Amino acid sequence: MSNENTNATRAPAAPNLVGRDAPIEIERAMANAIRALSMDAVQAANSGHPGMPMGMAEIAVALWAKHLRHNPADPHWPNRDRFVLSNGHGSMLLYALLHLTGYALPMEELKRFRQLHSKTPGHPELGMAPGVETTTGPLGQGIANAVGMALAERALSVDFNRPGFDIVDHHTYVFLGDGCMMEGISHEVCSLAGTLKLGKLIALYDDNGISIDSEKGSIKSWYSDDVPKRFAAYGWQVISNVDGHDVAAINRAIAKAKRDSDRPSLICCKTVIGKGAPTKANTGGAHGAPLGEKEIAATREAIGWSHPPFVIPEEVSDAWNARRKGARRQTEWKKLFAAYAQQFPEQATEFRRRMAGQLPEQWTGLAEALVASVAEKAENIATRKASQNAIEGLAPVLPELIGGSADLAGSNLTMWSGSRPISADGGGNYVFYGVREFGMAAIMNGLSLHGGYIPYGGTFLTFSDYARNALRMAALMKIRAIYVFTHDSIGLGEDGPTHQSIEHASSLRLIPNLDVWRPADGVETAVAWVAAIERQDGPTALLLSRQNLLPQQHNASDLAVIRRGGYIVADAPVPRAIIIATGSEVQLAMDARAALAVEGIAVRVVSMPSTSVFDRQDAAYRQSVLGAGIPRLAVEAGVSDFWHKYVGAVDSRHGAVIAIDRYGESAPAGELFKLFGFTVENVASAVKRLMN
């Protein structure tokens, strides 16, 4: 291995292998290097999952040594193949591969597996080790991300490739296991992948029949799916009954998968978990715990690996090193792209911009003009409609904006005049996800991770529960994705409590690094969209109304302060109380303020469309908005607990909340707001009680 592979520990060179069996022997040694590194790292950490890496070692050799197009010296090469470890608990497989093939992941980091501040956390995390394409761990989301990546590759190829210039031409490979197969999200996304004919998506299934609960036996008593028939029904090419420990057989299967450009492929590899461990192979005991020193010693003897922990023979190290081959492949692509740029300079410039995640030069002027135009029109519309208007105004200069909805496009209003539905026949910029909320959100993560796209997707706010873990993963990875959640409260009326969001706004606000916006009118909606598109360090959720909302009176300075998440929408020289509200309740606060003014009571109204953004502002600004020593009343058609951070403790004499701490009812919206106390009279009375 070259010195560029940073501090690999080597054993003396083994005798050169000669003869007909030499390739087989070196491949066996390459697989055993993965086994040794995996069991040694898990043992050193005294925690982890050695069984999967040991069982998938030959699969890794076949893919990474014979098919995967990547350059360890440049993990962000745009046309690299993407690799996703959906069964992320087996993270040592990926770390071993990254180290062995030449990424900047030194052996010291493998020795520090699962330790504080190491680059090798317990599950792969984006931004930690170079070459990790996505954060995996919650099972099933890796395959969903891979579907998004494959979708991005196909759509980009349609947009940018020209005859003789396939500058976007790569595969997405994913490893997954029984746990991923059992998770419902795998059904959602694999069904859609088959329908869309994502032929460059290739999944290798680790069929070992073992999970955590199968300590003494297989999983057959709780998982008996006929996986090949299931995926064939989705429209996938299925290559079944592959010996997962036969590199040549796996190699042939991958080659066959690559030849079918019309269908995604599933390669079913029968494996033994913990392969090589004399007593723990093929048992639940190999899944999620160190093998133990005695078993590791016996395993070394059984597989013929005589080297000390974390030591790789030079011949094996050299066989794994992918830097030279990767550099050659990237150089070939660069030459192709240079010729492409000569013939198609505008497209080449646009491709570079989009893959870099940069917004177009005209963006700032367009965004400012849009917000100013919305303020001037001052329309009485639902914020879901204001959201559609914002998309209509911004999307023409954002070809990277790729939308979608979970079967509710007509209600979410996520389509615009330039929407082109993606189908099995080619590209486009809008995905009909079907009733697959979780799958949609996780596929959006894959689209964002691939590069070249800013994804947005819509559903009702109450169904954000289905998608929540994918939202959490986007926030954890700090990637740009935009969730359009409409029907944000009891304001949807007759659909009843199953569809009325009560706890959802507060629940989403609890997710770190997720910006949540609940705008009060068209201007706040437009500002929220601009902020979401410009944000590059995390996802954004837009919570939008079904019912029409009156426009607030905005002045030029408001447009800047709205971006700060909370601002004074109406003030008084000496306010005696402050009403804080969001969304549809801002107009209620304004009406209560007017009623109180008749009685000589001066009130400040604060609109707080994004508490997460407001909380990031400096203390001086926050105090200038919320004041000091002034009674505060929060008003929101949702649960109350969240708002006590702004108005004070539950029993405070200086703060109160008008909210809903129960589920709703089925009735017209106006009746519901009255039933739950969202009336001018009740808000005004609450303010007077605080003052007294």
Side-chain angles (χ1 to χ4, degrees):
M1 184 174 289
S2 74
N3 290 333
E4 292 175 298
N5 194 17
T6 56
N7 303 326
T9 304
R10 303 182 187 176
N16 288 330
L17 297 171
V18 295
R20 186 178 59 186
D21 295 332
I24 296 176
E25 291 301 321
I26 193 63
E27 288 168 359
R28 182 177 294 121
M30 293 167 72
N32 285 337
I34 292 173
R35 291 190 173 94
L37 288 174
S38 298
M39 63 185 182
D40 289 342
V42 171
Q43 189 66 31
N46 197 31
S47 71
H49 299 75
M52 185 280 269
M54 297 174 72
M56 295 194 77
E58 283 81 11
I59 302 173
V61 171
L63 176 61
W64 280 65
K66 298 179 180 294
H67 292 277
L68 195 70
R69 297 175 70 251
H70 65 121
N71 182 6
D74 185 0
H76 303 292
W77 169 32
N79 202 43
R80 68 192 182 279
D81 287 339
R82 270 54 169 186
F83 174 77
V84 175
L85 190 74
S86 190
N87 41 355
H89 55 271
S91 57
M92 264 310 303
L93 174 66
L94 180 54
Y95 300 145
L97 288 166
L98 294 173
H99 169 77
L100 290 167
T101 55
Y103 287 79
L105 188 66
M107 187 67 82
E108 288 304 314
E109 292 294 342
L110 274 63
K111 293 178 180 178
R112 298 181 61 238
F113 178 54
R114 289 183 162 231
Q115 304 309 299
L116 185 64
H117 303 315
S118 76
K119 295 182 179 181
T120 51
H123 293 81
E125 293 184 26
L126 184 71
M128 299 294 285
V132 174
E133 299 280 5
T134 180
T135 299
T136 55
L139 293 175
Q141 288 197 63
I143 178 64
N145 295 166
V147 171
M149 293 174 186
L151 181 58
E153 189 276 342
R154 216 262 301 277
L156 280 171
S157 71
V158 172
D159 285 350
F160 287 100
N161 288 355
R162 299 293 183 270
F165 294 97
D166 289 342
I167 62 165
V168 181
D169 182 16
H170 54 266
H171 285 81
T172 300
Y173 297 98
V174 56
F175 285 0
L176 72 164
D178 290 311
C180 295
M181 290 294 190
M182 291 185 220
E183 291 285 359
I185 189 174
S186 69
H187 295 260
E188 295 184 23
V189 301
C190 292
S191 168
L192 185 60
T195 299
L196 295 179
K197 297 183 178 180
L198 299 179
K200 288 185 178 177
L201 173 62
I202 299 175
L204 294 108
Y205 168 36
D206 178 30
D207 182 12
N208 61 39
I210 297 292
S211 70
I212 293 175
D213 282 347
S214 53
E215 182 68 31
K216 298 296 183 182
S218 73
I219 60 176
K220 292 181 180 178
S221 62
W222 62 85
Y223 184 64
S224 59
D225 292 21
D226 190 326
V227 172
K229 287 184 180 178
R230 169 186 157 190
F231 275 76
Y234 292 154
W236 288 51
Q237 173 187 209
V238 180
I239 305 170
S240 56
N241 299 316
V242 176
D243 183 348
H245 302 298
D246 184 338
V247 174
I250 303 162
N251 176 44
R252 290 192 297 270
I254 297 172
K256 181 179 179 181
K258 290 165 71 175
R259 289 194 295 270
D260 191 333
S261 59
D262 292 329
R263 295 179 293 174
S265 295
L266 177 72
I267 302 173
C268 299
C269 302
K270 191 62 183 176
T271 63
V272 175
I273 192 170
K275 173 74 171 176
T279 67
K280 293 190 177 181
N282 202 34
T283 71
H287 174 87
L291 297 181
E293 297 291 353
K294 184 177 179 181
E295 184 78 358
I296 289 175
T299 303
R300 275 184 154 76
E301 182 175 354
I303 66 176
W305 189 265
S306 59
H307 315 291
F310 300 106
V311 173
I312 305 298
E314 186 173 0
E315 186 173 54
V316 176
S317 184
D318 290 342
W320 266 118
N321 195 330
R323 278 182 168 249
R324 183 177 300 174
K325 182 165 59 175
R328 184 175 68 250
R329 284 173 168 169
Q330 186 173 4
T331 298
E332 292 170 355
W333 180 82
K334 285 182 176 180
K335 290 179 180 177
L336 176 68
F337 190 82
Y340 173 86
Q342 284 189 329
Q343 291 201 34
F344 309 101
E346 291 183 7
Q347 289 85 347
T349 299
E350 180 70 358
F351 180 79
R352 293 191 192 100
R353 179 191 71 78
R354 285 177 58 175
M355 293 307 293
Q358 300 170 347
L359 295 176
E361 291 183 2
Q362 64 269 43
W363 165 257
T364 301
L366 177 72
E368 291 176 350
L370 171 72
V371 175
S373 173
V374 173
E376 183 178 354
K377 290 180 181 178
E379 294 180 289
N380 177 15
I381 57 175
T383 52
R384 62 170 175 166
K385 179 59 179 176
S387 168
Q388 185 181 47
N389 292 345
I391 299 170
E392 190 73 45
L394 299 174
V397 300
L398 290 171
E400 62 264 47
L401 202 61
I402 185 167
S405 181
D407 204 49
L408 292 168
S411 293
N412 298 145
L413 303 184
T414 44
M415 297 191 76
W416 63 290
S417 61
S419 290
R420 294 174 290 113
I422 289 175
S423 69
D425 299 325
N429 63 4
Y430 193 89
V431 184
F432 288 107
Y433 286 101
V435 188
R436 302 181 178 101
E437 294 89 356
F438 192 5
M440 174 183 71
I443 289 172
M444 287 167 57
N445 290 349
L447 286 163
S448 180
L449 288 161
H450 179 279
Y453 286 105
I454 301 173
Y456 71 92
T459 188
F460 290 172
L461 177 56
T462 189
F463 301 144
S464 64
D465 285 338
Y466 286 135
R468 185 180 180 88
N469 202 260
L471 273 62
R472 181 179 186 271
M473 297 302 288
L476 179 62
M477 290 188 280
K478 300 180 180 180
I479 59 176
R480 180 164 47 185
I482 303 170
Y483 312 104
V484 179
F485 294 131
T486 65
H487 297 61
D488 68 339
S489 73
I490 58 173
L492 62 90
E494 293 87 344
D495 277 343
T498 61
H499 284 51
Q500 292 168 4
S501 298
I502 301 297
E503 74 278 21
H504 297 83
S506 289
S507 177
L508 291 177
R509 290 169 181 142
L510 295 177
I511 299 177
N513 202 43
L514 173 65
D515 278 0
V516 179
W517 290 79
R518 187 170 183 248
D521 64 1
V523 171
E524 288 189 4
T525 304
V527 170
W529 260 105
V530 171
I533 290 171
E534 291 181 354
R535 188 178 188 218
Q536 297 192 36
D537 61 353
T540 300
L542 307 177
L543 281 47
L544 308 171
S545 73
R546 177 195 187 192
Q547 73 273 28
N548 287 352
L549 304 182
L550 289 171
Q552 300 306 312
Q553 296 297 316
H554 296 287
N555 55 49
S557 61
D558 283 348
L559 306 185
V561 294
I562 292 172
R563 286 292 300 265
R564 305 189 77 166
Y567 66 104
I568 300 170
V569 69
D571 207 358
V574 184
R576 297 177 62 189
I578 296 174
I579 305 175
I580 308 167
T582 75
S584 51
E585 289 72 71
V586 170
Q587 184 59 49
L588 174 60
M590 293 292 288
D591 292 343
R593 175 181 182 271
L596 289 165
V598 172
E599 300 182 41
I601 301 172
V603 171
R604 172 186 296 176
V605 174
V606 170
S607 176
M608 199 176 288
S610 179
T611 61
S612 43
V613 174
F614 181 76
D615 288 347
R616 292 200 296 269
Q617 305 306 308
D618 61 85
Y621 177 77
R622 285 184 278 119
Q623 183 166 320
S624 73
V625 172
L626 296 180
I630 307 173
R632 302 171 189 168
L633 173 70
V635 183
E636 185 173 63
V639 293
S640 62
D641 279 359
F642 176 84
W643 288 100
H644 290 292
K645 66 186 288 188
Y646 300 105
V647 302
V650 176
D651 60 352
S652 172
R653 293 176 297 169
H654 304 292
V657 181
I658 294 177
I660 306 175
D661 288 316
R662 51 156 286 193
Y663 294 113
E665 301 279 352
S666 181
E671 294 182 22
L672 292 176
F673 279 113
K674 183 177 180 180
L675 172 68
F676 289 109
F678 291 92
T679 64
V680 171
E681 295 77 14
N682 192 40
V683 174
S685 294
V687 169
K688 287 187 282 187
R689 286 195 299 271
L690 278 177
M691 292 170 53
N692 293 330

